[in-house]
Amino acid sequence: FATGRFLLGTYYLRQHKWEKAQQCFEQTLEISKKNGAALNNLGALLAVKGNKNEALLNINKALNLVPGYLDAKKNSQIILREECPTYDEVQFTWRELRPVLLAYSE
């Protein structure tokens, strides 16, 4: 069920249905609290809405769960740099994360 909710959330992101996407990522996290991709996407959506503290809380949880997670790392930098980023500025994750991420350099 968590995967289905996550994928539905990404569908809503692509459709620019931000509230529905947020609900799906919240539901994903109710089922699977350690879903790094849902934490990142929820954090990005909250940042755009101006909920900077809550956004950083979710992004930092994702980074603690998945060290080296580039989307979350970029979102953390964007959130700290800008008061209210746009949807185009934040980094969404479109697939669930592998158990072990490959380390890429920026």
Side-chain angles (χ1 to χ4, degrees):
F1 291 121
T3 297
R5 285 280 131 195
F6 176 79
L7 293 174
L8 185 58
T10 61
Y11 167 79
Y12 286 132
L13 286 177
R14 296 234 190 248
Q15 299 300 313
H16 299 237
K17 295 182 180 182
W18 313 117
E19 294 298 321
K20 287 186 177 190
Q22 181 176 337
Q23 290 171 355
C24 286
F25 297 129
E26 289 170 346
Q27 290 168 345
T28 301
L29 291 167
E30 287 175 12
I31 300 165
S32 177
K33 296 191 184 322
K34 294 185 177 183
N35 187 312
L39 285 164
N40 175 69
N41 289 354
L42 179 58
L45 287 167
L46 291 168
V48 172
K49 292 173 69 175
N51 297 339
K52 191 172 186 173
N53 291 336
E54 196 175 345
L56 282 172
L57 180 68
N58 283 284
I59 298 294
N60 288 332
K61 281 182 187 178
L63 285 168
N64 286 333
L65 287 171
V66 189
Y69 182 7
L70 290 180
D71 287 346
K73 186 176 179 181
K74 287 180 184 177
N75 282 335
S76 176
Q77 293 167 349
I78 291 166
I79 294 165
L80 290 171
R81 185 178 65 233
E82 297 184 34
E83 189 62 33
C84 192
T86 66
Y87 290 107
D88 293 330
E89 293 173 307
V90 294
Q91 300 288 312
F92 292 111
T93 302
W94 300 103
R95 296 183 184 142
E96 286 190 308
L97 302 175
R98 296 181 187 103
V100 177
L101 291 182
L102 298 174
Y104 296 103
S105 61
E106 292 185 60

